[in-house]
Amino acid sequence: MSEPSLQDDVLQELGDDKLTEIAGLLGTDTNGARDTVTETVGAMTGGLQEKAAADDDDGVEVRQAFAEVAEPPLQGVSTLGGGLGGMLSGGMMAGVLAKVSKPVASAVSKKTGIPAPAISRVIELLIPVLLAVFAKRAASGKAAGTPAAGGAPASGPGTGPARGTGPEGGGLGDLLGQILGGGRK
């Protein structure tokens, strides 16, 4: 009884209608769209994992974005703009995903032969879906006892590296594993 991969969760969240829309954008069938989505999600999550592991401003930003995703949707600022929908339409994680979108589009384009602008449009459709899947995975992890933000400091961007991001560290590292687990097939 293995847990579904992140790509599987994204494909399920997309549903047949959005997958058909993506196929139309790419000029392919739903199987081609499914393959492209799987490749794109894998590249995006790989990029996020690399950035989260970095000991620089980008790493801090990615770790803070994951900590934000892990917060319950009906608290604090996230209630501005309509609760869960408001949180999923923006926030720090949406910005982080937007930052990795151009290099991901380029890499997926090189691998698949699909023009980068078409991959970029697919990524635009995938960002809200990824946010929804991340939020669901974070919520299910907390239900199973995973700490919300692993003691990640709530103060500003200059807080330094997040604690607990190593293999033995738990905390935010566990959260990243919960949310991104199975990110690449």
Side-chain angles (χ1 to χ4, degrees):
M1 186 167 129
S2 67
E3 192 174 305
S5 72
L6 181 65
Q7 289 96 331
D8 291 340
D9 286 350
V10 168
L11 288 168
Q12 182 177 352
E13 188 75 23
L14 273 172
D16 293 337
D17 289 344
K18 282 287 187 195
L19 205 53
T20 301
E21 182 180 343
I22 290 171
L25 284 172
L26 298 174
T28 188
D29 60 9
T30 54
N31 286 333
R34 185 175 286 110
D35 291 345
T36 302
V37 166
T38 299
E39 185 68 37
T40 303
V41 169
M44 290 183 82
T45 57
L48 289 174
Q49 288 171 325
E50 287 174 23
K51 285 187 177 288
D55 194 17
D56 58 12
D57 288 344
D58 285 344
V60 170
E61 181 181 28
V62 171
R63 291 186 297 271
Q64 287 178 339
F66 276 105
E68 177 187 273
V69 166
E71 292 176 9
L74 298 177
Q75 286 186 345
V77 178
S78 63
T79 59
L80 300 173
L84 185 61
M87 181 185 77
L88 294 179
S89 67
M92 187 178 273
M93 182 55 77
V96 166
L97 290 170
K99 282 183 183 178
V100 299
S101 66
K102 186 173 181 175
V104 165
S106 187
V108 172
S109 175
K110 285 179 184 170
K111 188 167 185 175
T112 63
I114 298 169
I119 300 294
S120 292
R121 288 192 302 269
V122 169
I123 291 171
E124 289 172 14
L125 291 173
L126 288 177
I127 287 176
V129 174
L130 279 166
L131 291 171
V133 170
F134 289 170
K136 286 178 182 178
R137 282 179 164 235
S140 70
K142 279 192 277 189
T146 299
S155 56
T159 58
R163 293 182 300 271
T165 55
E168 73 289 340
L172 187 56
D174 286 347
L175 175 65
L176 288 168
Q178 174 70 24
I179 294 173
L180 295 178
R184 291 186 172 191
K185 282 189 172 180

